[in-house]
Amino acid sequence: MATYKVVIMGKEYVLTSEENKDYTERLAAALDKRIKDMRARFSSLSITDCAVLTALDCMDELGQANRNIDNIRTQIKDYVDDAGRARNQATGAQREIKILKERVEQLEKELAERTNFSAMNNVGEAVSAEDILKGDIKAAIGETSEPEAVHAENNAQRRSIQDSPYMRSYEQAMNKRPADGAAGGARFSGNDQGNNK
């Protein structure tokens, strides 16, 4: 605590303050200027009246400043709440991304195992990776019924058998065999049959 002398409206005041001397003298000078401005605007008022009106102005400014501070505190609280909600949403999204990544890794592993299995099984069980992936997607979204799955598997096996070298050799041998009733492999057209009565 220190004691300072200040002059306001020509009168000396002795003040005791916890603030430093420069700050106290600036406050006194600002108050002196405001009272003098009020006296210049309303010359019929006494110094006491001007001091009271100036004090009311200062109280009004203090009230507005406090309201602004309260608004700022409310806004800061809203921002903090929004940030907390956004952080919770981000955490939830990260958990969901982690779960989806694990599911993708699991599906990739299953696809690799099935592809390796079908590569070792050249007859009857060969299924393309695309068919496997389509089946997994349909099963995941619940679009594939059991009969459709069996039908798709039968089609895949049928394609595998038709593409086998044994089936191609058999078809080639069947195409080279003479037609029924033809001698020496000769084939008769409709015109030839019409000429031989």
Side-chain angles (χ1 to χ4, degrees):
M1 299 282 290
T3 302
Y4 310 115
K5 290 182 180 180
V6 296
V7 177
I8 300 172
M9 294 299 291
K11 186 175 180 181
E12 187 177 89
Y13 296 91
V14 178
L15 304 176
T16 302
S17 174
E18 295 179 356
E19 301 295 339
N20 60 48
K21 182 178 181 182
D22 290 339
Y23 177 76
T24 304
E25 287 179 348
R26 283 198 306 273
L27 283 182
L31 179 59
D32 183 63
K33 181 179 183 307
R34 291 184 71 160
I35 294 173
K36 284 179 179 176
D37 290 342
M38 184 72 70
R39 183 81 189 271
R41 287 171 57 199
F42 306 103
S43 57
S44 61
L45 295 178
S46 66
I47 293 176
T48 304
D49 293 338
C50 290
V52 169
L53 293 175
T54 301
L56 283 174
D57 284 346
C58 291
M59 292 298 294
D60 179 53
E61 291 173 4
L62 177 62
Q64 289 181 4
N66 287 334
R67 283 193 295 274
N68 290 338
I69 290 171
D70 290 340
N71 289 337
I72 291 171
R73 284 176 179 161
T74 302
Q75 290 177 2
I76 290 173
K77 183 180 180 301
D78 291 341
Y79 294 150
V80 170
D81 292 342
D82 289 343
R85 283 191 292 271
R87 186 168 48 250
N88 290 339
Q89 289 175 355
T91 302
Q94 288 174 353
R95 279 197 300 267
E96 189 173 348
I97 289 170
K98 182 180 178 183
I99 291 170
L100 291 174
K101 282 184 178 178
E102 290 173 355
R103 179 62 180 151
V104 168
E105 289 175 0
Q106 181 184 0
L107 289 173
E108 287 176 346
K109 183 179 178 183
E110 289 177 7
L111 180 62
E113 289 173 357
R114 290 187 187 186
T115 305
N116 290 340
F117 177 75
S118 64
M120 292 185 297
N121 240 355
N122 287 330
V123 181
E125 293 293 331
V127 181
S128 71
E130 183 179 354
D131 291 337
I132 295 171
L133 192 55
K134 284 180 181 177
D136 285 343
I137 291 171
K138 285 185 177 181
I141 61 178
E143 287 186 359
T144 304
S145 63
E146 189 173 342
E148 289 176 347
V150 172
H151 183 64
E153 184 177 347
N154 290 341
N155 284 342
Q157 291 178 357
R158 195 176 300 112
R159 283 197 302 273
S160 172
I161 293 170
Q162 288 173 350
D163 291 340
S164 69
Y166 303 107
M167 192 60 154
R168 285 196 296 270
S169 299
Y170 174 74
E171 288 175 350
Q172 289 171 359
M174 290 300 292
N175 287 335
K176 289 180 182 178
R177 194 178 71 177
D180 292 340
R187 295 174 184 253
F188 297 99
S189 66
N191 291 334
D192 293 337
Q193 290 175 358
N195 292 333
N196 296 325
K197 292 184 180 179

